[in-house]
Amino acid sequence: MRGLERIILAAEPGVRNQALDALCRGLSTEELLAECEALERLRESRENLYERVRSLFFLAAIHRYHMPGRAGVAAQGRVPFSGYTHLLQRRFEEAIREFLEAQREQGPNDAVSSALAAAYKGLAFQTLADQVRRSVRSVRGNQWMFRTGHPADYPLRLRPELTGRDEAAGSYPVLREATPVRMDLSHSGWSDIFFLGMDFPEGARVLNTSIDLVVRGTGQGEPQPPVEARLRMIDEP
């Protein structure tokens, strides 16, 4: 087992929390390429989501920040057009295979490493997004969102009070909904909160608050919910 594999698979915080930059700085180009090959095998063979995603982020960081400019790494290279096409179409696995083959044929170079960095990063976030999608779909109450093909499939219905026309006014009743502002006090980027939750769940807690607002000095009185929406049936779509 190589050094970066050991960090990802370690249970001891003192081992798994080491900085990638410090470890890569002391490796030769050949050793770093061997670490990348080991990480590639690791991310393909492991079932654990955290281990796969961390391997992908390690690979992305190595090719973005640690391969360019090294001894034995050419400043110029050729990125295969088919791999670039796969990258644009978010077929990251296919792109990675093309770029790795180009690296074997040409030798390590900045151009292919840049392409590999983009593909590995894209695949890492795609893996996280797929996991979130599976989690959402597994909840019975959410499944309608992925199965709605016709307006009749939509599960929400209007209350009977909103479907009767007011003869005096000539229109349907208006439903007014007011709500406070929701604020997330811990973070604004949910992708890494989710990733942190896989590795350190007790540190991934999110604190939310609901806040009413008022402009001081305007005579508006007590704070009110600042978000407001109105709904009314209409005669035509």
Side-chain angles (χ1 to χ4, degrees):
M1 183 184 299
R2 302 197 68 88
L4 297 182
E5 286 182 277
R6 190 176 299 108
I7 290 175
I8 293 173
L9 300 177
E12 303 82 11
V15 177
R16 73 183 306 175
N17 295 337
Q18 297 180 75
L20 177 66
D21 182 67
L23 293 162
C24 292
R25 197 181 302 122
L27 298 176
S28 67
T29 302
E30 292 73 19
E31 290 172 330
L32 198 56
L33 286 170
E35 291 285 356
C36 288
E37 291 179 3
L39 289 172
E40 179 69 18
R41 292 192 297 270
L42 180 68
R43 68 107 180 164
E44 289 183 335
S45 62
R46 304 296 291 189
E47 293 294 328
N48 183 281
L49 179 68
Y50 170 83
E51 294 166 357
R52 295 205 321 269
V53 172
R54 196 176 186 199
S55 298
L56 289 166
F57 279 128
F58 272 18
L59 286 162
I62 289 170
H63 282 285
R64 176 67 68 201
Y65 303 113
H66 298 285
M67 289 299 295
R70 279 179 168 265
V73 179
Q76 297 181 352
R78 298 184 303 278
V79 176
F81 180 76
S82 56
Y84 181 67
T85 301
H86 287 316
L87 184 63
L88 291 180
Q89 295 175 347
R90 301 183 62 80
R91 295 200 296 263
F92 298 117
E93 289 283 7
E94 293 89 337
I96 289 169
R97 285 197 293 269
E98 295 271 358
F99 298 152
L100 288 176
E101 181 61 30
Q103 182 178 256
R104 283 189 288 269
E105 292 176 356
Q106 305 172 31
N109 60 78
D110 288 359
V112 174
S113 280
S114 177
L116 280 168
Y120 279 126
K121 180 182 177 182
L123 182 57
F125 281 107
Q126 186 181 75
T127 302
L128 287 175
D130 289 342
Q131 178 62 28
V132 172
R133 193 175 296 110
R134 284 192 294 270
S135 299
V136 171
R137 287 186 175 186
S138 66
V139 178
R140 186 177 181 84
N142 294 333
Q143 291 174 356
W144 66 268
M145 292 189 291
F146 304 94
R147 298 176 181 174
T148 301
H150 186 274
D153 298 332
Y154 198 73
L156 303 181
R157 299 290 183 267
L158 291 176
R159 291 178 60 90
E161 297 92 326
L162 297 173
T163 61
R165 186 192 299 271
D166 185 335
E167 298 300 333
S171 62
Y172 292 95
V174 175
L175 172 67
R176 173 180 175 273
E177 176 68 25
T179 184
V181 171
R182 173 184 173 272
M183 296 190 68
D184 172 4
L185 303 182
S186 55
H187 206 274
S188 60
W190 282 92
S191 57
D192 45 357
I193 283 289
F194 181 76
F195 188 60
L196 179 62
M198 292 188 293
D199 179 39
F200 183 48
E202 60 271 27
R205 295 172 182 149
V206 177
L207 178 63
N208 297 316
T209 61
S210 294
I211 302 174
D212 292 334
L213 299 176
V214 68
V215 179
R216 183 176 299 172
T218 59
Q220 291 179 309
E222 294 297 319
Q224 300 293 324
V227 181
E228 185 175 304
R230 288 178 168 84
L231 178 145
R232 187 185 68 186
M233 284 189 61
I234 59 177
D235 294 328
E236 300 178 1

